[in-house]
Amino acid sequence: MLFKIRRIHLFQTSAILVCCLLLQQPASASPFGHGLFGEDVPFGSATSLTIGLGSPVNLTLVPSGPNFTGSGSHNITVTSTDVVGYKLYAYSPSSTNMVNGATVIPTSGNVSPSTLSINTWGYNTDGSSNYVGMHSTPREIKDANGPFKNGDVTTVKYGVLTDITKDAGDYTVSVVYTAVAENQ
């Protein structure tokens, strides 16, 4: 029996990042007396928030019994001087399907972390082999408290499980990450 190795690529669209940068909204700092006292961060309007995307995720599928499986991860780094913290969101705006021409691998239907069904893909932030499905609207994947002037890293792991009937080739899906400063 001949096994074909398939590759799946997840990538972030630079055009979406450019749009996000061009459509920035002003951020306001937390009022006096809120947040964490004594933190080494700027006061007032000097509060900042940046997000750094890791490299694109490449998943190489390997045989696993009668199926193919693969996983890969990358790091999202949020740097914030907001003393309250930030929330990190992820979503696939145009489609949650991994696409290879006319062939698709849909996102998992899991709403809580669980094993993947055959011919689905998903993600997690705990590094396990349990995944949830991606959404087409922003969903919170992390709520972090406190300033992170040196950066706070979130590892996002992706996984896929397919059967032998899926066409070989490169499957892609766009994932957008958004970080939002919290204030009180």
Side-chain angles (χ1 to χ4, degrees):
M1 174 168 266
L2 176 66
F3 289 99
K4 293 183 181 179
I5 301 298
R6 300 177 194 135
R7 301 196 78 183
I8 296 178
H9 300 281
L10 296 176
F11 65 93
Q12 295 76 31
T13 307
S14 60
I16 292 174
L17 292 176
V18 171
C19 289
C20 290
L21 292 174
L22 294 175
L23 300 175
Q24 290 181 5
Q25 298 295 319
S28 59
S30 296
F32 183 77
H34 291 275
L36 301 175
F37 180 74
E39 292 295 323
D40 181 23
V41 295
F43 179 74
S45 63
T47 297
S48 67
L49 176 78
T50 61
I51 185 170
L53 301 176
S55 59
V57 180
N58 295 315
L59 306 174
T60 300
L61 300 183
V62 295
S64 177
N67 301 313
F68 290 93
T69 186
S71 66
S73 62
H74 66 155
N75 294 326
I76 308 301
T77 304
V78 175
T79 304
S80 173
T81 58
D82 187 284
V83 294
V84 179
Y86 72 92
K87 290 186 180 193
L88 182 63
Y89 298 87
Y91 69 108
S92 291
S94 57
S95 173
T96 59
N97 293 329
M98 287 187 174
V99 179
N100 175 23
T103 307
V104 300
I105 300 173
T107 191
S108 171
N110 296 346
V111 293
S112 60
S114 188
T115 57
L116 290 172
S117 298
I118 295 175
N119 294 322
T120 64
W121 72 277
Y123 75 94
N124 69 45
T125 56
D126 64 6
S128 73
S129 58
N130 293 319
Y131 300 91
V132 295
M134 185 60 67
H135 293 273
S136 60
T137 57
R139 302 293 175 160
E140 182 181 305
I141 63 172
K142 185 172 189 177
D143 185 354
N145 295 319
F148 298 97
K149 75 175 193 169
N150 295 319
D152 181 47
V153 177
T154 301
T155 301
V156 181
K157 180 181 176 185
Y158 293 93
V160 67
L161 177 63
T162 65
D163 64 21
I164 200 161
T165 64
K166 285 291 177 190
D167 293 341
D170 292 339
Y171 289 75
T172 61
V173 64
S174 294
V175 175
V176 176
Y177 296 96
T178 306
V180 178
E182 295 187 60
N183 60 23
Q184 295 176 341

